[in-house]
């Protein structure tokens, strides 16, 4: 049977993502990794602050980049995942 891992991790922090993947891979290889993080701020684009826009970019784009960079090397090496 498979395992479902859930850990509190800030997916906008690359080091935290990498640490989580390394922790999991000590026990078993990762075949499936789901990052469903997403952030939407209601309201007008013009009323959004730069900080709001940056946070949204980090959650909606960079978190996926960080998780892919962390899990793909092992999957590619194993030709599986």
């Amino acid at each position: 049977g498979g395992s479902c891992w859930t850990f509190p991790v800030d997916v906008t922090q690359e080091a935290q993502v990498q640490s989580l993947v390394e922790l999991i891979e000590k026990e078993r290889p990762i075949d499936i990794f789901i990052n469903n993080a997403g952030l939407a701020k209601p309201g007008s684009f013009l009323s959004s602050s730069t900080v709001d826009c940056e946070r949204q970019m980090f959650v909606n784009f960079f978190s996926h980049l960080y998780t892919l960079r962390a899990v793909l090397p092992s999957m590619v090496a194993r030709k599986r995942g």
Side-chain angles (χ1 to χ4, degrees):
S3 296
C4 181
W5 292 76
T6 56
F7 289 95
V9 62
D10 183 346
V11 292
T12 67
Q13 300 299 312
E14 188 171 17
Q16 287 187 35
V17 172
Q18 187 63 44
S19 293
L20 172 63
V21 169
E22 289 171 5
L23 176 69
I24 294 169
E25 287 185 333
K26 283 181 183 177
E27 184 170 317
R28 68 186 311 159
I30 296 173
D31 289 322
I32 299 171
F33 192 98
I34 299 169
N35 174 1
N36 67 342
L39 180 64
K41 184 177 183 314
S44 165
F45 169 75
L46 294 174
S47 67
S48 296
S49 71
T50 300
V51 171
D52 290 338
C53 292
E54 287 174 347
R55 181 74 180 154
Q56 193 167 358
M57 284 296 298
F58 267 91
V59 172
N60 294 351
F61 175 76
F62 286 104
S63 72
H64 299 282
L65 175 73
Y66 299 156
T67 55
L68 287 170
R69 282 185 174 173
V71 300
L72 280 180
S74 173
M75 292 178 177
V76 170
R78 292 182 292 114
K79 296 181 170 67
R80 180 178 176 159

